[in-house]
């Protein structure tokens, strides 16, 4: 192992007045990778208590500077001085699987791609996507059967995959559905592999295979999308033009589609599963949300109806606080810089942790308690610090699909609330597998009853 992997960060220049970063390397070879993945909140709290908001460790084969809390978050994420890059950090973790996705680009190139991509997320486009997804949700929920032990997570994931493929690609996958779903799972999990080279059968190798599966599927359909167009996202990306007439190449379209398809169904699946769990644990909020959906008087949600589901919006925000779909976010210093008076040399790999920030008792009263009222107009606990609640990131890389995702969650939950009631036993606690994006270890067992 090279000295870079086991040595502390470079000391600051003596004339800078900046502090060196304290920390510890953890176990040989794997560093603190295991604790980061399996006990992230406990690990982060212990580190914050011992070292404060800035410290160093090793994990996933390299040195990492850990930035904890909203003040430390501000520097790399708002990135006013352009001292941090998103691409080099994400490329190390998931580049082989989601190469040149929007999150892996930086500065002028990122802005160029984002300007073109925004044409696929205009209000008229979002309205069209919602009109397309409503019947998919309706058909998906029609297959749900009342059960005393219904597995909510895989059922939700199947619906969100159908939404992503039909809304984004304009067609159902049919027999390819399971293959594509597994390809996405393998790509996502590949990024947290301990062994980061292609050993057959292990995570990294499965992720590379998953990427090939997705790329073949999209390239096969791309000529027809270029020629005919349509109302789906695939067509929108093929025909999108920025104000100055710039468009995407075929490689751009494929790269962005693979990344957006993953983001569109994985992150919303996590959010809806979290909401379903807490609404089962708190039936008073479930009924409150159901009453608002019933008051709309429509089986499916239209674009303007979203604004009427105020309780559901509070539940969604609180669920995103309690479990951030992206628990940590990496960046890489592209020049010598500083964070909270600590010297960060160029090339340093840093990570911020929304999940930790969302559970800091310094900002959130009783942070482990489910309390959607935190986000009500009367309380707005999320405003105690501008970065207290950050599930969608911040700065130039703030999630481009934020409104699409929120719309999808509300459309699904609206129909679910109208058609079903669900509970869990009083002593049931959901435990999350965090070895990649969070997912329930038991699949989220609920007692489901059709209304």
């Amino acid at each position: 192992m090279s000295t870079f992997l086991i040595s502390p960060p470079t000391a600051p220049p003596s004339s800078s007045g900046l502090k060196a970063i304290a920390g510890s390397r953890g176990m040989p070879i794997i560093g603190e990778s295991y604790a980061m993945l399996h006990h992230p909140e406990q690990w982060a709290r212990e580190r914050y208590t011992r070292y404060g908001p800035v410290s160093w460790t090793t994990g996933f084969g390299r040195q990492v500077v850990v930035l904890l809390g909203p003040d430390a978050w501000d520097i790399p994420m708002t990135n006013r001085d352009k001292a941090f890059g998103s691409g080099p950090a994400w490329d190390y973790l998931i580049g082989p699987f989601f190469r040149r996705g929007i999150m892996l680009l930086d500065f002028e190139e990122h802005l160029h791609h984002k300007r073109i991509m925004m044409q696929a997320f205009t209000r008229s486009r979002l309205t069209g996507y919602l009109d397309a997804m409503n019947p998919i949700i309706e058909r998906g929920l029609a297959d749900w059967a009342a059960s005393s032990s219904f597995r909510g997570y895989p059922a939700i994931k199947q619906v969100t995959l159908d939404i992503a493929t039909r809304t984004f690609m304009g067609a159902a996958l049919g027999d390819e559905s399971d293959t594509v779903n597994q390809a996405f799972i393998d790509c996502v999990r590949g990024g947290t592999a301990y062994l980061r080279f292609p050993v057959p059968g292990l995570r990294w190798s499965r992720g590379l295979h998953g990427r090939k599966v997705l790329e073949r599927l999209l390239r096969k359909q791309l000529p027809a999308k270029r020629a005919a167009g349509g109302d789906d996202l695939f067509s929108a990306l093929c025909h999108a033009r920025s104000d100055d007439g710039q468009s995407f190449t075929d490689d751009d379209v494929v790269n962005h589609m693979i990344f957006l398809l993953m983001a569109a169904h994985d992150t919303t699946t996590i959010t809806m599963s979290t909401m379903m769990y807490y609404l089962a644990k708190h039936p008073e909020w479930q009924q409150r949300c159901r009453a608002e959906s019933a008051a709309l008087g429509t089986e499916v949600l239209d674009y303007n109806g979203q604004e009427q589901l105020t309780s559901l919006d509070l539940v969604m925000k609180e669920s995103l606080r309690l479990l951030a779909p992206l628990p940590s976010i990496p960046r890489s210093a592209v020049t010598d810089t500083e964070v909270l008076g600590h010297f960060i040399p160029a090339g340093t790999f840093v990570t911020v942790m929304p999940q930790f920030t969302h559970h800091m008792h310094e900002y959130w009263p009783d942070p482990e308690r489910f309390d959607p009222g935190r986000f009500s107009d009367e309380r707005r606990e999320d405003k105690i610090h501008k970065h207290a609640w950050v599930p969608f990131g911040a700065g130039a890389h703030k999630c481009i699909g934020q409104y699409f995702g929120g719309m999808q969650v509300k459309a699904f939950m609206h129909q679910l609330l109208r058609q079903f009631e669900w509970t869990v036993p009083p002593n049931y606690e959901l435990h999350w597998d965090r070895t990649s994006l969070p997912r329930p270890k038991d699949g989220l067992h609920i007692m489901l009853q059709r209304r």
Side-chain angles (χ1 to χ4, degrees):
M1 183 179 297
S2 70
T3 55
F4 172 76
L5 295 179
I6 60 175
S7 300
T10 304
S14 57
S15 60
S16 69
L18 299 175
K19 295 178 285 188
I21 299 173
S24 55
R25 64 178 57 89
M27 299 176 63
I29 301 178
I30 68 169
E32 295 193 310
S33 302
Y34 185 87
M36 290 181 195
L37 286 176
H38 295 279
H39 308 288
E41 291 170 41
Q42 177 184 341
W43 171 81
R45 172 51 64 180
E46 291 173 354
R47 179 161 283 272
Y48 187 81
T49 300
R50 182 177 181 184
Y51 298 114
V54 183
S55 62
W56 73 273
T57 186
T58 60
F60 306 108
R62 67 180 303 163
Q63 181 194 98
V64 183
V65 169
V66 185
L67 306 177
L68 297 173
D71 291 323
W73 161 285
D74 182 72
I75 309 301
M77 298 303 291
T78 56
N79 204 18
R80 298 175 187 88
D81 297 331
K82 296 185 177 181
F84 290 91
S86 177
W90 280 116
D91 193 64
Y92 176 79
L93 292 171
I94 62 172
F97 321 116
F98 297 102
R99 60 177 175 266
R100 294 190 59 77
I102 190 69
M103 197 165 64
L104 282 73
L105 305 177
D106 280 305
F107 310 125
E108 290 304 316
E109 185 180 36
H110 173 261
L111 182 59
H112 167 72
H113 281 249
K114 190 172 183 178
R115 282 172 175 162
I116 301 173
M117 190 175 291
M118 286 301 295
Q119 304 309 308
F121 291 97
T122 61
R123 180 185 173 110
S124 61
R125 284 284 186 182
L126 289 173
T127 301
Y129 300 150
L130 180 58
D131 291 342
M133 74 175 63
N134 273 324
I136 302 167
I137 296 169
E138 192 171 11
R139 288 192 294 271
L141 291 178
D143 293 334
W144 289 22
S147 171
S148 60
S149 186
F150 183 82
R151 294 180 72 237
Y153 177 81
I156 293 172
K157 189 169 177 60
Q158 185 58 58
V159 176
T160 58
L161 179 62
D162 289 344
I163 291 172
T165 53
R166 292 181 189 234
T167 305
F168 281 25
M169 299 175 63
L173 290 176
D175 294 339
E176 295 180 292
S177 176
D178 289 344
T179 300
V180 170
N181 193 23
Q182 188 60 51
F184 279 120
I185 292 171
D186 289 342
C187 285
V188 171
R189 291 175 68 84
T192 53
Y194 290 129
L195 295 176
R196 307 181 73 79
F197 49 89
V199 178
L202 297 186
R203 279 191 183 186
W204 194 260
S205 181
R206 292 200 302 269
L208 294 174
H209 174 72
R211 166 75 193 200
K212 291 178 181 177
V213 169
L214 299 173
E215 192 162 332
R216 281 197 301 267
L217 173 71
L218 292 166
R219 289 197 182 277
K220 182 172 65 176
Q221 298 187 20
L222 195 146
K225 295 294 182 183
R226 287 285 198 199
D231 296 329
D232 54 275
L233 181 70
F234 200 171
S235 298
L237 293 180
C238 284
H239 296 273
R241 298 286 187 276
S242 64
D243 292 340
D244 57 358
Q246 298 295 311
S247 61
F248 286 138
T249 67
D250 286 358
D251 286 346
D252 291 335
V253 171
V254 170
N255 291 331
H256 289 316
M257 279 293 296
I258 290 175
F259 179 80
L260 291 172
L261 278 165
M262 177 276 295
H265 89 277
D266 264 335
T267 56
T268 51
T269 297
I270 294 165
T271 301
M272 291 190 289
S273 297
T274 309
M275 293 172 70
M276 198 171 188
Y277 168 65
Y278 282 109
L279 289 176
K281 296 278 284 186
H282 299 272
E284 71 282 5
W285 275 98
Q286 184 180 150
Q287 185 51 41
R288 179 170 165 174
C289 292
R290 182 174 291 111
E292 288 183 355
S293 282
L296 288 181
T298 59
E299 293 297 326
V300 300
L301 187 66
D302 63 27
Y303 191 85
N304 292 327
Q306 297 176 83
E307 297 179 2
Q308 308 304 313
L309 302 181
T310 54
S311 294
L312 190 62
D313 188 66
L314 297 178
V315 169
M316 181 176 70
K317 289 175 178 175
E318 176 70 339
S319 297
L320 286 166
R321 183 191 70 82
L322 286 164
L323 185 70
L326 199 60
S328 62
I329 302 173
R331 290 289 187 265
S332 183
V334 297
T335 185
D336 289 354
T337 187
E338 64 93 14
V339 173
L340 301 182
H342 294 81
F343 178 61
I344 308 288
T348 302
F349 191 95
V350 307
T351 186
V352 298
M353 297 183 66
Q355 184 70 15
F356 175 72
T357 299
H358 291 175
H359 288 257
M360 293 181 73
H361 58 76
E362 292 90 341
Y363 300 98
W364 300 95
D366 197 3
E368 304 307 315
R369 182 165 60 94
F370 175 75
D371 181 9
R374 301 177 192 275
F375 295 90
S376 65
D377 290 339
E378 296 78 19
R379 293 170 61 184
R380 292 310 302 264
E381 291 178 11
D382 57 309
K383 295 298 184 181
I384 192 170
H385 191 291
K386 62 182 178 179
H387 299 309
W389 186 73
V390 285
F392 301 105
H397 282 88
K398 189 172 184 178
C399 178
I400 194 171
Q402 174 180 349
Y403 297 108
F404 175 89
M407 180 181 72
Q408 180 179 344
V409 167
K410 290 176 183 177
F412 176 86
M413 296 301 298
H414 172 72
Q415 291 197 41
L416 180 67
L417 287 160
R418 289 180 63 90
Q419 296 185 39
F420 293 96
E421 296 179 7
W422 62 95
T423 58
V424 292
N427 60 347
Y428 176 78
E429 297 292 334
L430 186 60
H431 298 285
W432 294 89
D433 178 349
R434 301 172 188 260
T435 53
S436 56
L437 296 181
R439 60 178 181 172
K441 289 183 177 180
D442 68 352
L444 178 56
H445 283 278
I446 61 172
M447 294 177 281
L448 186 70
Q449 180 179 351
R450 189 171 286 276
R451 300 184 71 239

